[in-house]
Amino acid sequence: MIAGLYIAGHSALHRVAAGGKILALMVLGTGVFLIADWPVLAAVLMVVLVLYPLSGFGWHILWVQARPMIWLLVLFFAVQLWLNDWQAGLVVVLRLAAIVLFAALVTLTTKTSALLAALERAMGPLRRLGVNPQKVSLAFSLVLRFIPVIAQVASEIRDAQRARGLDKSILALIVPLIIRTLKMADDVADAIDARSFDAD
Amino acid sequence: MNTKDIVYIALFAAVTAVLGLFPPITLPVGVPVTAQSLGPMLAGAILGARRGGLAILLFVVLVAVGLPLLSGGRGGFGVFFGATGGFIIGWVVAAFVIGFLIEKFWHRLNVVTAAASIAIGGVIVDYAIGNIWVAAVVKISYWQATVGMAPFLIGDGIKVAIATIACLAVKRAYPLISRSR
Amino acid sequence: MITLENVTVQFDQRRVLDAISVTLTERRIGIVGANGSGKSTFVRLLNGLQTATTGTVRVDDFDAAKDGRKLRRHVGFVFQNPDNQIVYPVVAEDLAFGLKSLKLPQHEVDRRIDDMLARYDMTAFRNHPSHLLSGGQKQLLAISGVLVMDPRYIIFDEPTTLLDLRNRNRVERAIAGLDQTVITVSHDLDLIAGYDRVLVFDRGRIVMDDLPAHALAHYRGMMA
């Protein structure tokens, strides 16, 4: 799960720097909201769709990305049809599909580590605002490190509660989970200090 | 901000991610309830404003760069352009507001003040921000979006109750807010 | 040489260490005591994780009160639970973590990581997710993460408590093979039976300080 959604490949899009792709996504994300013409938006969506085979992804991968939003798109179209007209419905649907599918494409063609590294570089100028990129990068890594540990602790607590007949209660899970992981966090913080992490 | 603060922030970002792994429960009225929005409530109520807000900001940034940490395995920049994107951004503000209020009430924190703090941040603030996105993306009015959210309040009530009890229990067992000031 | 002079540690109303004075020069020092006897607090003083309420703690040329950061590089610390010590999600990244603070050139960082992985037969796990290692491998990774920093002293706080017998023996061999001065806190008395000196803690004081044969017999008598 924490491996991200990346699928290895050698296409042009795979080779573009992570920072460039994030920038393109921001431009596209803003751009489509400035366009209110459905034929233009349809053309944008076509370009995004064509990028999938060009990046080495088959229709199956495209379908996996698109499937979760199909019903949402149908719903939005219906709402627009009811409140306005079919053109307005198309604008909403095309806009959303173009952004979500392009965002998925960026994620599919970029390693998580490359995205995080780009992010760390992008944070360089924030140093002046008192943001320490080293601390932020430590925090990123710790989250990825903690997720499997917490999931493990949660399943241990669930087993213990089940043995006491409390398996239905999320509360019986949440409170011990938080207290146990806070204790763990204190130990981790000690270990980081003991390993002479230079926070300043 | 010392090492402990960084670790706590990362911890609650990770807790929020793990809450996304629980399958949604469907209430009898047919509305799905996900556990994930408990994350911002717990982060704010247990870590306070600054660390709680930063924990959820960290979570949101990791989602933005493409980690599939949202419930249902969603992630990537695209989610912020979707109808529910505003709720996710709203979580950051919600965690901060909850933490701010909990800190204000810290020395007379009880079921009422804790539940009110969590409900104001986690429900009112989050919907106030989230509904802007819903209205813009679905192209309906802000009012229509707000009315449409009414059925979800049942699940939110349950989550506020859970977060309140957790907040008070952790305050007794492992207080983190008074320690920092 | 480690020297403590009249060291007291007080948490609120509770006196955890009471006027400890001791000088340690041996290569292998064992520490035993019941839970809450002050032994963990004692070793945490030695690398600056804990500060003394009164008294002085010196390790070679470093004063724990003044040279905290240098002391931490000089004295490594291996915790009981490696899950809480491994910071990074990938094995090689975790080994690189402490090295970052030394500001070494990249090729030197890589060289040290390669050497360290080879030392405990972990080369194949270079890019492995750290949480998927076995318990014994995790403890060896935790030890490696400390060793790459090249400390002069290494403290082990109950390093074998969470391990099965086979992994316990692996860790015992790893500790035996270290050139550094080792200070081990342990409930596993066999682990320190061959050491040069053993301190027994009880209620914040050192109640016995002798060769292992004597000290451990005394401790067993206390616990009976």
Side-chain angles (χ1 to χ4, degrees), chain A residues 1-2 4-5 25-26 29 33 76 79-80 83 92 96 99-100 103 107 112 115-116 119 135 138-140 142-144 146-147 150-151 158 170-171 173-175 178-179 181-186 188-189 192-193, chain B residues 1 3-4 6-8 10-15 17-19 21-22 35 38 42 46 58 61-62 65-69 73 75-78 81-83 137-140 144 162 165-166 169-170 173-174 176 179:
Chain A
M1 173 200 66
I2 52 165
L5 305 167
L25 183 56
M26 287 173 166
F33 279 92
F76 291 169
V79 169
Q80 285 309 312
L83 294 174
V92 170
L96 205 62
I99 301 169
V100 172
T107 320
T112 303
L115 283 171
L116 290 180
L119 216 60
K135 288 185 180 178
L138 173 66
F140 281 147
L142 282 173
V143 179
L144 303 186
F146 281 154
I147 289 171
I150 295 170
R158 269 202 159 170
I170 188 162
L171 205 58
L173 172 71
I174 295 273
V175 174
I178 290 172
I179 291 174
T181 54
L182 282 174
K183 175 80 190 75
M184 172 189 85
D186 283 345
V188 170
I192 291 169
D193 282 338
Chain B
M1 186 155 322
T3 309
K4 243 177 205 154
I6 299 172
V7 178
Y8 289 149
L11 178 68
F12 275 82
V15 165
V18 171
L19 285 170
L21 300 176
F22 290 91
L38 256 179
L42 294 170
I46 291 167
L58 176 61
V61 169
L62 288 170
V65 300
L67 294 185
L69 301 180
F77 218 83
F81 297 103
V137 174
V138 194
K139 286 198 158 184
I140 52 181
Q144 284 166 319
I162 292 173
I165 297 169
V170 174
Y174 219 97
L176 293 178
R179 200 200 268 183

Side-chain angles (χ1 to χ4, degrees), chain C residues 146-157:
Chain C
V146 169
L147 280 178
V148 280
M149 303 294 289
D150 212 7
R152 277 282 301 115
Y153 296 78
I154 302 181
I155 294 162
F156 290 90
D157 193 357

Side-chain angles (χ1 to χ4, degrees), chain A residues 189-198, chain C residues 47 49 72-73 75-77 79 85-88 91 93-99 101 141-142 144-146 148-149:
Chain A
D190 271 352
I192 291 169
D193 282 338
R195 291 175 70 183
S196 56
F197 172 65
D198 236 333
Chain C
N47 94 328
L49 276 176
R72 282 177 181 169
R73 294 203 185 132
V75 183
F77 203 114
F79 295 78
Q85 180 157 3
I86 299 169
V87 177
Y88 273 62
V91 169
E93 286 177 10
D94 189 71
L95 292 175
F97 169 66
L99 293 175
S101 67
L141 173 61
S144 303
V146 169
V148 280
M149 303 294 289

Side-chain angles (χ1 to χ4, degrees), chain C residues 43-130:
Chain C
V43 288
R44 288 163 63 90
L45 283 168
L46 305 181
N47 94 328
L49 276 176
Q50 176 67 52
T51 49
T53 312
T54 58
T56 56
V57 178
R58 297 189 62 85
V59 180
D60 295 339
D61 298 328
F62 303 113
D63 181 333
K66 293 187 208 120
D67 313 308
R69 190 158 284 162
K70 286 181 198 149
L71 189 67
R72 282 177 181 169
R73 294 203 185 132
H74 200 60
V75 183
F77 203 114
V78 177
F79 295 78
Q80 176 184 44
N81 187 348
D83 264 324
N84 296 349
Q85 180 157 3
I86 299 169
V87 177
Y88 273 62
V90 176
V91 169
E93 286 177 10
D94 189 71
L95 292 175
F97 169 66
L99 293 175
K100 272 187 201 165
S101 67
L102 297 182
K103 313 240 180 323
L104 299 170
Q106 189 59 42
H107 65 88
E108 174 64 13
V109 171
D110 290 336
R111 193 189 62 78
R112 284 208 198 183
I113 290 173
D114 290 338
D115 289 354
M116 196 47 67
L117 288 168
R119 180 165 182 169
Y120 295 124
D121 292 329
M122 303 250 290
T123 306
F125 295 96
R126 199 177 211 285
N127 295 313
H128 202 72
S130 42

